[in-house]
Amino acid sequence: MFLINCPYCGERDQQEFKAGGEAHIERPKQPTELSDDEWAEYLFMRKNIKGVQFERWNHAHGCRKWFNMVRDTSNDEIKAIYKMGEKPPSQ
Amino acid sequence: MRNKYSVFSLIKNALSYHENWQRAWKDPAPKKKYDAVIVGGGGHGLATAYYLAKKHNMNNIAVVEKGWIGGGNTGRNTTIIRSNYLWDASAGLYDHALKIWEGLSQELNYNVMFSQRGVMNLAHNLQDIRDLKRRTHANRLNGIDAVYLSTEEVKKFCPIINTSPDIRYPVLGGTLQRRAGTARHDAVAWGYARGADAMGVDIIQNCEVKGIKRNGNCVEGIETTKGFIKTNKVGVVAAGHSSVIANMAGLRLPLESKPLQALVSEPVKPVIDTVVMSNAVHAYVSQSDKGELVIGAGTDDYVSYTQKGSHQIVEGTLNAILELYPIFSRMRMLRQWGGIVDICPDASPILSKTSIKGLYFNCGWGTGGFKATPGSGDLFAHTIANDEPHKLNAAFNLNRFVSGDLVDEHGAAAVAH
């Protein structure tokens, strides 16, 4: 369990949040032109990094807003939090 | 030559105060070259090595393990074994494993303490009843034993369950697979290790894989903390760390690694002689031979490699346990731990070749890999030795995420993933 600093509400307990998986996976611009391989890549394949990973979180039991997080999955340390649409911080 | 375990060897060794037992497996340094290397010395990896040597005469092989054998998820699960899965492909896979479990102690000459005490799954709402009945019928069509139980029959089979209609999620029925049960998790790893070692397999512990060397599209060997090992066949059975190994070969997998928790109570006298699982309220419980209650909690929803997990997950499970079993209200929990499980989008495993020649993956077992250990090893060995899947694991290929032919066991497998 860890504390998460929601960019809208401030520091809250992790149980208020829902993890939304890997961040910055772009929806294909031309879905009709995608091959099966490219669809599989978009839908299913994940980086699943052991180390610093970019991910989406939702303050589900709070403001219900989505935001991004940079977190080290090997020790659960949160490196940075930034709003949707903002540029990810460089490592 | 491996000495046979028997009542006579027990008596013989008692005379020397059990100080002269033969080592169960050696502790060799890696050779320069092997015909195949298995990455990961858990139950599945050791079983793979065992069947490669036994059924496919591949004796010049090694298992490399970054820690000690059986120290990962093999030693962290809640030891439940069952095969009551909904879809035909899963039923074939898991019942293949269950059939091997039934003769495993004799085959390995190692007591894996397989106990067919039955697994009961509870229904708490109308949809549960429909799903469980559907699964019971599907199981029976696949030749897997399954019966549907009324609330009274649930109470009769496991009297300590609170079947009062007044609880928040009353027990409305259940299913029972009598051939299902539990086994001693460590013994499975040790038994397979001993068996594989006796056939010449090198089991190399404290040896972490750091890289996979490729020549074009073919595997040439692995870089490890104990040096380079040349081999043309690498079978990766690394559970939660599968994506990490895949990354070394430039592959991406459809996996997310998440913490799954379990806990045990202080030991008490026998009080529950079966395994009871409830999907809807997420409460799994059985009792070990030592007398501890063995309780399985759920997974966290975020990726993590920390083997910890969140407190509220355990709290939610214990709330459900207390409502279903008020008798446990004064029990104290002894230990809690987490393991990292690799979860596939369709909650089914991957036992497959990859786009790289000589590189095979056995992963994605998610929250329920222990039950499949012998079958997984057998089928993965077949896949590696023949460079082709066995018909029982053909559906569990990596390409299903491209073709869309998923084996969707989410919710269908009688358990929340």
Side-chain angles (χ1 to χ4, degrees):
Chain A
M1 186 183 277
F2 36 83
L3 291 172
I4 295 175
N5 194 5
C6 170
Y8 304 97
C9 309
E11 207 163 66
R12 298 292 178 87
D13 193 295
Q14 177 222 327
Q15 3 183 359
E16 293 185 14
F17 297 83
K18 179 103 183 88
E22 193 177 318
H24 306 299
I25 300 174
E26 255 187 66
R27 188 173 164 78
K29 292 210 167 51
Q30 299 286 345
T32 49
E33 285 167 25
L34 242 50
S35 69
D36 289 351
D37 280 310
E38 287 165 330
W39 268 121
E41 198 62 29
Y42 167 68
L43 279 177
F44 298 126
M45 301 302 164
R46 293 293 176 262
K47 289 181 185 152
N48 197 24
I49 293 166
K50 183 179 186 181
V52 176
Q53 163 157 303
F54 292 77
E55 48 195 31
R56 301 178 306 170
W57 283 74
N58 179 233
H59 195 181
H61 300 287
C63 63
R64 302 181 64 191
K65 288 198 173 90
W66 285 88
F67 57 92
N68 292 310
M69 184 190 288
V70 187
R71 193 172 55 91
D72 189 333
T73 61
S74 66
N75 56 16
D76 288 342
E77 189 190 332
I78 299 170
K79 303 275 188 191
I81 284 177
Y82 55 103
K83 291 180 184 172
M84 282 289 164
E86 285 178 10
K87 257 183 95 135
S90 56
Q91 288 174 43
Chain B
M1 184 59 198
R2 187 69 72 236
N3 293 341
K4 196 168 160 21
Y5 289 154
S6 68
V7 64
F8 303 109
S9 71
L10 195 63
I11 294 166
K12 187 175 150 224
N13 280 282
L15 297 175
S16 57
Y17 302 97
H18 297 294
E19 284 175 359
N20 296 314
W21 283 98
Q22 187 184 33
R23 275 190 79 114
W25 55 86
K26 300 179 288 292
D27 187 21
K31 289 186 221 162
K32 294 253 179 302
K33 185 176 183 306
Y34 288 101
D35 294 337
V37 174
I38 306 300
V39 179
H44 289 238
L46 293 163
T48 304
Y50 175 84
Y51 292 112
L52 273 173
K54 187 175 181 207
K55 291 171 92 167
H56 306 281
N57 297 320
M58 289 179 69
N59 302 88
N60 183 32
I61 62 173
V63 177
V64 293
E65 163 58 46
K66 75 171 171 179
W68 62 95
I69 63 163
N73 293 351
T74 301
R76 289 165 185 271
N77 63 81
T78 50
T79 79
I80 298 170
I81 295 163
R82 59 187 180 87
S83 65
N84 54 353
Y85 279 69
L86 178 69
W87 300 112
D88 294 351
S90 316
L93 179 68
Y94 291 103
D95 209 50
H96 178 61
L98 183 48
K99 283 179 188 137
I100 303 177
W101 275 115
E102 286 173 332
L104 193 62
S105 291
Q106 289 76 11
E107 180 183 339
L108 294 178
N109 178 227
Y110 204 100
N111 187 2
V112 298
M113 295 163 76
F114 180 49
S115 157
Q116 291 177 296
R117 58 184 69 181
V119 169
M120 190 159 69
N121 294 93
L122 302 181
H124 297 278
N125 54 51
L126 198 56
Q127 190 58 44
D128 276 358
I129 295 175
R130 290 187 189 121
D131 287 346
L132 261 52
K133 283 188 173 167
R134 179 190 180 201
R135 184 170 50 70
T136 306
H137 295 314
N139 288 160
R140 290 164 83 156
L141 286 170
N142 276 318
I144 293 169
D145 69 305
V147 284
Y148 188 82
L149 306 178
S150 66
T151 307
E152 294 70 39
E153 288 167 325
V154 167
K155 182 79 180 170
K156 198 171 165 215
F157 190 68
C158 184
I160 61 168
I161 294 183
N162 179 8
T163 52
S164 158
D166 300 329
I167 64 175
R168 177 69 184 83
Y169 298 103
V171 177
L172 303 180
T175 65
L176 175 62
Q177 184 180 20
R178 289 185 189 276
R179 284 165 63 231
T182 59
R184 171 80 198 277
H185 49 6
D186 298 319
V188 180
W190 298 337
Y192 273 122
R194 177 170 171 265
D197 181 272
M199 291 182 286
V201 175
D202 280 354
I203 295 164
I204 303 156
Q205 302 181 75
N206 300 308
C207 179
E208 186 175 352
V209 173
K210 291 294 190 185
I212 293 177
K213 194 175 173 216
R214 285 163 59 179
N215 180 9
N217 203 35
C218 298
V219 169
E220 279 206 321
I222 53 171
E223 290 288 352
T224 74
T225 48
K226 293 191 174 180
F228 180 73
I229 301 173
K230 199 166 157 28
T231 182
N232 293 322
K233 283 179 186 260
V234 175
V236 182
V237 202
H241 282 71
S242 298
S243 297
V244 177
I245 307 278
N247 193 31
M248 293 172 189
L251 278 183
R252 292 230 296 168
L253 294 173
L255 297 175
E256 286 195 310
S257 298
K258 297 175 175 179
L260 173 66
Q261 294 177 82
L263 55 163
V264 296
S265 72
E266 59 189 336
V268 291
K269 287 192 172 179
V271 64
I272 177 165
D273 63 354
T274 183
V275 182
V276 185
M277 307 175 64
S278 167
N279 181 3
V281 299
H282 210 292
Y284 309 163
V285 63
S286 63
Q287 192 172 16
S288 74
D289 292 354
K290 277 189 286 185
E292 303 155 323
L293 295 182
V294 182
I295 295 169
T299 46
D300 275 290
D301 59 354
Y302 54 88
V303 170
S304 180
Y305 289 83
T306 58
Q307 295 186 326
K308 283 184 198 155
S310 305
H311 179 69
Q312 75 265 18
I313 302 279
V314 170
E315 198 176 15
T317 289
L318 289 179
N319 285 342
I321 295 268
L322 285 188
E323 187 169 74
L324 277 175
Y325 311 92
I327 190 177
F328 296 151
S329 65
R330 307 255 174 116
M331 283 192 64
R332 285 166 296 189
M333 291 299 138
L334 203 61
R335 296 192 307 277
Q336 167 276 344
W337 64 93
I340 302 304
V341 296
D342 43 331
I343 300 177
C344 258
D346 60 354
S348 285
I350 296 166
L351 283 134
S352 179
K353 296 164 69 171
T354 64
S355 54
I356 298 164
K357 191 168 166 43
L359 183 63
Y360 308 85
F361 269 87
N362 181 351
C363 59
W365 289 95
T367 60
F370 176 73
K371 65 174 80 70
T373 305
S376 158
D378 183 32
L379 299 172
F380 196 47
H382 183 279
T383 308
I384 293 173
N386 299 303
D387 197 34
E388 275 303 321
H390 187 278
K391 69 176 183 339
L392 285 174
N393 68 310
F396 298 95
N397 60 64
L398 198 46
N399 196 51
R400 72 179 190 265
F401 298 97
V402 176
S403 68
D405 193 9
L406 304 178
V407 188
D408 186 8
E409 287 287 356
H410 267 297
V415 50
H417 288 278

